[in-house]
Amino acid sequence: MLFWRLVLLGMLYLSLSFGQLRENNAQQRFARSVVNMDDMLNLEDDLVSNVEKLAEALARKAKTIKWGVFKMMKRRQEYKSSMEIFANPIDTFSLIRHMQSNWLMWLLYLETPVGQEELFFVDSRMPLLPKYFDFIDAAEGIRKMQATYQMFSSDIAKGLLDGVQYNSSLKPIDCLAIGLHLMNNSRWYAAEQWISASIEAYDQKSSQTDMELLRGPKLADLCRILGQVQMKQRNHEGALQAYQVALKLSPHDPEIYEEYRILEKRDLTLSDIEPIEQDKDNSHERLVLPPCCSGRCQVPRNLSNLYCVYNHVTSPFLQLAPIKTEILSIDPFVVLLHDMISQKESTLIRTSSKEHMLPSATTDPDASDDETQVDTYRTSKSVWYSSDFNDTTKKITERLGDATGLDMNSTEFYQVINYGLGGFFETHLDMLLSEKNRFNGTSDRIATTLFYLNEVRQGGGTYFPRLNLTVFPQPGSALFWYNLDTKGNDHMGSLHTGCPVIVGSKWVMSKWINDMGQEFTRPCVESSLSSNEVLSAERLII
């Protein structure tokens, strides 16, 4: 079952349209790509300017009210200082008229709403703001990045990311939000780390922002939540200590006091055999978040017979312009093709794709319908382009055919992908078909090419767990590997992971090559060492 789940993770949307194709999902999913971050900042600029207008309107009204109060206080003082108060009929009439008329005017003025236009503007922009599922995406991105690279919550909160210190930090309310999300999913150990990080960040901050003053959290509330999480893990002593600190900070809070009393009684009567509430999905998380994405794994890898070479054998054109090829693995055949895309081409692809990208979706080609869905195991946005979409894609396709020796007429569309906050793709296989359907005349993905369109500051490597191989993005290069062995069967060595991005924006472009149509360029042979029988890039193997 695990094998086929990994296969399904690699299944992508296959229905194609003219020129380009986008996944059928209208949700923005802000955390799944960085392409919309500037749009969100621009939106906040508009909202801030609008709130500033509202503040100015309120200030004008407040100024008018203060002016009216000053005038009425001055009149009152004049009346009091008069020796013949109200002896003059003019003063009497003026006071009666003022009390009868002016205060009606003041009532109407005070009741008149201020800033309705500005409030309507804010309300009209609310649909454009991130939704709750965007927060879930962001929190899970942080958590998966943390678990993959084995980072402490307190380090992340301070801006220390996998050994690199950045001039950024999380506020107490940010850490609390992640902790509450993990609590909602019964992930108590991880939640405790983030609540503790929130308390630590609270102690270290010099001042609170206005929004923090409006929303909190208060330090007493953080200690109370920490106690609740510790009780879920049967840490009675730690929970009591957390509640004692909370009571010291807020001695008159009846809820904290009542919970503390209940906790005291429970601690005295609690049975030792009471079951501990277990964290959910721990085993799953350990499976899909590999430990070697940092490239620092200590497992030895066989480096014999691996080398770099100028490829001039898979195409006559390469006799004039050979391609720098770095052989990373022989079985399965994995190579890194250097200088496959120029900086100008990469920039063109990224800029032209930005306005059309939607959350990456997956589908099962064996299913009866074409319905796609956005899942948690693939956090990115993407768009599809045909090989002949423009001159750039045509040139890249021709270049890839020269470099691999495979027939580019039997390929899928290009998929341009951008990864966002902690963006990753769980461990999966790219082939689509089950063993029983592979040799019935249906095409499958014999090979994958992953073009790296930019540099990623930290993280974002492509990891092959069966090979202990981590390849980090190198701008302009293309990672090529076979998903099927030399006999057309699944090659489990092609199992791979799109490691979480830590810092930066990861842009890649995928190209899947189908087996049907490659019968003469890559026929079935006994092993990858039978290089004299193939016309594809495996001829480079010495």
Side-chain angles (χ1 to χ4, degrees):
M1 293 300 293
L2 172 61
F3 170 76
W4 290 118
R5 182 179 182 279
L6 294 171
V7 173
L8 289 173
L9 287 180
M11 295 178 176
L12 303 173
Y13 191 54
L14 301 177
S15 302
L16 306 179
S17 62
F18 294 101
Q20 69 180 38
L21 176 69
R22 293 178 292 169
E23 287 85 351
N24 183 24
N25 192 293
Q27 297 175 346
Q28 280 286 354
R29 307 303 284 256
F30 287 97
R32 300 202 166 205
S33 171
V34 300
V35 296
N36 298 116
M37 292 297 104
D38 53 349
D39 296 335
M40 195 154 48
L41 285 177
N42 293 334
L43 175 59
E44 184 170 53
D45 286 341
D46 295 338
L47 290 170
V48 169
S49 299
N50 180 72
V51 173
E52 188 176 17
K53 292 180 182 177
L54 176 60
E56 291 172 354
L58 292 171
R60 286 194 298 270
K61 185 168 185 176
K63 184 177 181 180
T64 301
I65 294 172
K66 289 180 179 180
W67 172 83
V69 170
F70 170 77
K71 288 293 186 181
M72 288 184 283
M73 292 295 292
K74 184 177 180 182
R75 177 195 291 264
R76 191 164 177 267
Q77 292 297 327
E78 290 174 352
Y79 282 149
K80 285 186 176 181
S81 62
S82 176
M83 298 299 295
E84 298 178 351
I85 187 170
F86 303 133
N88 190 324
I90 294 176
D91 293 335
T92 303
F93 173 81
S94 180
L95 178 62
I96 293 174
R97 187 214 55 81
H98 164 70
M99 297 298 291
Q100 181 273 325
S101 177
N102 286 3
W103 275 105
L104 287 176
M105 179 275 293
W106 276 112
L107 177 62
L108 291 173
Y109 183 74
L110 293 173
E111 290 179 340
T112 301
V114 176
Q116 290 301 294
E117 182 178 348
E118 288 79 11
L119 292 174
F120 176 77
F121 179 85
V122 174
D123 185 65
S124 68
R125 296 301 186 271
M126 293 305 288
L128 303 178
L129 296 177
K131 305 298 186 294
Y132 183 66
F133 56 74
D134 290 304
F135 164 76
I136 298 298
D137 284 347
E140 283 299 302
I142 291 288
R143 174 58 192 156
K144 288 170 180 174
M145 178 184 71
Q146 176 187 11
T148 301
Y149 298 100
Q150 300 295 301
M151 292 186 280
F152 293 109
S153 303
S154 57
D155 287 342
I156 297 176
K158 297 173 187 175
L160 181 61
L161 305 179
D162 198 27
V164 181
Q165 181 65 55
Y166 293 92
N167 188 26
S168 301
S169 61
L170 292 176
K171 295 180 173 60
I173 194 171
D174 296 326
C175 300
L176 175 62
I178 298 175
L180 293 176
H181 164 68
L182 294 167
M183 289 173 64
N184 290 336
N185 289 276
S186 300
R187 297 157 78 175
W188 306 114
Y189 178 74
E192 180 182 359
Q193 290 187 38
W194 279 104
I195 301 302
S196 298
S198 180
I199 294 174
E200 187 175 342
Y202 195 101
D203 291 337
Q204 291 180 350
K205 66 180 177 29
S206 58
S207 62
Q208 289 180 307
T209 64
D210 293 339
M211 188 56 66
E212 286 178 304
L213 291 172
L214 288 174
R215 294 190 56 191
K218 297 179 180 179
L219 185 55
D221 295 329
L222 297 178
C223 294
R224 174 189 181 187
I225 296 172
L226 178 62
Q228 293 172 350
V229 173
Q230 290 173 331
M231 272 305 300
K232 292 292 186 180
Q233 301 177 88
R234 291 283 301 277
N235 183 2
H236 310 142
E237 182 178 354
L240 284 170
Q241 290 176 356
Y243 266 96
Q244 288 168 358
V245 174
L247 276 175
K248 185 177 180 180
L249 294 169
S250 186
H252 304 296
D253 190 312
E255 293 184 359
I256 295 179
Y257 178 74
E258 182 62 26
E259 290 178 10
Y260 176 68
R261 292 297 302 273
I262 294 174
L263 183 59
E264 278 187 318
K265 295 178 181 179
R266 185 181 180 189
D267 185 50
L268 294 173
T269 60
L270 195 62
S271 170
D272 291 335
I273 62 174
E274 181 176 330
I276 301 175
E277 291 196 36
Q278 299 294 328
D279 282 6
K280 293 182 179 178
D281 298 330
N282 273 356
S283 59
H284 171 72
E285 191 172 76
R286 285 192 295 269
L287 170 68
V288 301
L289 300 177
C292 296
C293 275
S294 63
R296 297 189 291 265
C297 208
Q298 297 300 315
V299 179
R301 182 163 56 92
N302 184 8
L303 298 178
S304 62
N305 299 325
L306 301 184
Y307 52 93
C308 299
V309 65
Y310 278 98
N311 175 14
H312 61 273
V313 300
T314 54
S315 169
F317 177 73
L318 299 188
Q319 295 287 339
L320 299 175
I323 293 178
K324 289 182 279 187
T325 304
E326 184 177 349
I327 299 179
L328 304 177
S329 170
I330 293 178
D331 189 23
F333 186 69
V334 182
V335 295
L336 189 63
L337 309 171
H338 292 275
D339 300 326
M340 286 292 288
I341 297 184
S342 68
Q343 183 177 355
K344 181 179 179 181
E345 290 171 331
S346 296
T347 302
L348 177 63
I349 292 171
R350 296 198 308 270
T351 54
S352 62
S353 301
K354 179 178 177 181
E355 298 300 324
H356 308 289
M357 304 190 81
L358 289 173
S360 300
T362 58
T363 188
D364 182 355
D366 293 330
S368 57
D369 54 38
D370 292 330
E371 182 179 356
T372 62
Q373 60 181 5
V374 178
D375 288 297
T376 59
Y377 51 72
R378 189 184 186 205
T379 54
S380 62
K381 286 185 178 181
S382 56
V383 62
W384 298 77
Y385 295 109
S386 64
S387 298
D388 58 354
F389 177 68
N390 56 30
D391 290 340
T392 298
T393 57
K394 290 178 182 178
K395 291 178 181 178
I396 295 173
T397 302
E398 183 178 359
R399 205 174 297 147
L400 181 60
D402 290 339
T404 63
L406 298 175
D407 189 346
M408 292 294 105
N409 292 315
S410 300
T411 63
E412 297 179 17
F413 277 29
Y414 286 106
Q415 187 184 33
V416 180
I417 309 167
N418 179 243
Y419 290 87
L421 196 162
F424 85 118
F425 198 163
E426 277 187 13
T427 304
H428 64 284
L429 296 164
D430 279 353
M431 70 278 290
L432 298 174
L433 302 178
S434 59
E435 291 287 354
K436 65 179 181 180
N437 293 329
R438 170 145 308 119
F439 301 104
N440 63 359
T442 305
S443 183
D444 201 0
R445 293 169 174 170
I446 189 175
T448 298
T449 309
L450 191 65
F451 296 89
Y452 295 116
L453 302 182
N454 73 322
E455 184 178 6
V456 181
R457 289 182 63 184
Q458 197 176 2
T462 305
Y463 173 60
F464 295 83
R466 296 292 179 93
L467 307 177
N468 187 32
L469 173 66
T470 304
V471 182
F472 291 98
Q474 300 182 36
S477 298
L479 185 63
F480 172 85
W481 70 86
Y482 281 107
N483 302 305
L484 306 179
D485 63 20
T486 57
K487 297 181 181 179
N489 298 309
D490 300 332
H491 201 311
M492 291 300 295
S494 68
L495 199 70
H496 60 283
T497 307
C499 295
V501 176
I502 300 178
V503 176
S505 173
K506 178 182 177 181
W507 284 87
V508 297
M509 183 170 68
S510 296
K511 182 71 164 177
W512 288 280
I513 303 171
N514 296 325
D515 53 359
M516 296 184 65
Q518 313 299 339
E519 293 82 359
F520 296 103
T521 57
R522 208 240 189 186
C524 290
V525 295
E526 284 300 318
S527 72
S528 58
L529 297 177
S530 306
S531 57
N532 59 331
E533 301 180 35
V534 299
L535 301 178
S536 57
E538 286 143 303
R539 297 179 64 189
L540 297 173
I541 298 175
I542 298 176

